Amino acid sequence: MRIKYIIKNVNVSLISSVLITIFNFIARTFFITKLGQEYLGLNSILTNVLSMLSIAELGIGTAIGFSLYKPLANNDKEKIKSLMNYYKRAYQIIGLIIFVMGICIIPFLGLFITNMHIFNNIYLIYFLFLINTVYAYFFSYKRTLIIADQKNYVLTKYLTTFKIIIYILDIIYLSFGNSFIVYLLIQLIVGIIENIYINYNINKRYEYIKEKNIQKLDNKERNLIVKNIKAMFFHKIGDYCVNSTDNLIIAHYISTAIVGIYSNYYTIIYTVNSFLMLIFDSTSASFGNLIAKESKKIIYEKFKTFNFLAFWLFGWSCICFYFLLTPFITTIWLDGNWLISKAVVLVVVLNYFFTSMRVPLGIVKTAGGVYNQDKYVPLIQSLVNLVVSIILVKKIGLLGVFIGTLASSVLVVFWIRPYIVYKHIFERPLNEYFKIFTKYFISLISIVVVLEVTFNLFTFSNNIINFIFMITTIIILPNLVFYIIYRKTNEFGNLLNIAKGIVGGKFGKKS
């Protein structure tokens, strides 16, 4: 049953990602053409500022999601009703808190946007961003239920439809207009309609959550949720400081325009990552179900298989990013005015690899409800990130910001997250993880060196031909090397069996 839901979630998410990616690139191109680097940078900065306010969410969604796994598996409707009612009341309070905090930030916008004078109606723009963030807290809490029930594919269909509607309206408007305010109003109005529609359909699917006879959560359940929320609060702060402060530092110490230039690189990385993460996100609820029912040995074997899959997919994508990002942006998509240095790209890609390789660990950790043991780690990571980034941005500019992010990842979380998971969930020696990681990392670096030499030796004068040659080589060589090295491992064999089962199941149904 778990594999069935994973396959459904992956298939729907894959189609969704393809459609959203196509429309996103078209809409973004119109945005860049009509509104330019400065507004692109402003869009990224205000998104990060509002992300800061979302820390008030405290990680309640994650904690409730974990608490829902067992009652959903046991079809305990009374417990589900109690949890969802608790979640609803909490999110309503949080939405109001974020709104008040957002209003209080208005006098200090100049700290985040150093060139405010170049933007018309900056305070109205910020207010629209704020409303777009706040209203979701009064609707979106029910989505956790359908995700925890391993039916994310249902939600994905709704989200994809409305996302495409927004992109189409953006494209139509930007074809003849250039007001950033109208652009934001489109997001806001369609977003509200989307939330009303999704809530209506979730209510139809889980009719019992509308019942009035709701029992209060017992003290033990409440105390567990509160304990997890407290731990997740530290994680939320740390995640924000690591993932959302780079743009703010760049805008303050360099310029808003540079934020806009970097955002194109980030958009491509984020888009590709979304394709890959749909595979792993689709397993989150299934791992929760697995941990609730199976032995630690089975859980660990499943983890190793997904960890190997993560290495293959994320490792290959890192190779693509390092060699193809800049030529794609400057040759295929935009032009040389949207260029950042190769050194910056290297550091960004390295950070992406270290972060991505923690995804399977994070899924198991979250599914197992292990939040409290490392609650202070994100704060340490964020402190390292901020201190190193601010020191280095003054000395070496943009590169220094991303070195700070990489340093915080490698020096802190890289060691502690596997320690927590291996000790508290797998109950296995930590050196097993680092042996596997070292083997993966060395094979990846070796391939990058070979490709670097190859592309230096074989360069074509025509940029398009050169780009096609690089793509072809990167598609064939790394995947061939991965296959040769790992084809006899248990992890590869397990993935192959899963793939055969999926293909066989599809053809079996057709026949």
Side-chain angles (χ1 to χ4, degrees), residues 4 39 88 97 108 169 215 229 274 292 351 388 412 461 478 503:
K4 171 188 171 184
Y39 275 99
K88 174 185 177 180
I97 291 172
F108 306 100
L169 292 176
Q215 302 173 5
I229 287 172
S274 297
N351 184 59
V388 177
V412 184
S461 56
V503 173

Side-chain angles (χ1 to χ4, degrees), residues 138-157:
F138 296 89
F139 294 101
S140 62
Y141 69 95
K142 291 182 181 178
R143 299 180 185 189
T144 301
L145 176 59
I146 201 167
I147 293 170
D149 200 22
Q150 304 182 66
K151 296 181 176 65
N152 198 28
Y153 60 90
V154 177
L155 182 60
T156 300
K157 291 176 183 178

Side-chain angles (χ1 to χ4, degrees), residues 35 129 177 195 210 212 282 302 352 370 453 488 506:
L35 296 172
F129 264 90
N195 276 276
K210 297 185 295 180
K212 302 298 182 183
S282 298
K302 296 288 185 183
Y352 173 78
V370 181
V453 172
K488 294 183 179 180
K506 286 185 176 181

Side-chain angles (χ1 to χ4, degrees), residues 483-495:
Y483 171 74
I484 292 171
I485 295 175
Y486 298 108
R487 70 187 188 281
K488 294 183 179 180
T489 62
N490 290 333
E491 291 79 10
F492 182 85
N494 290 336
L495 279 181

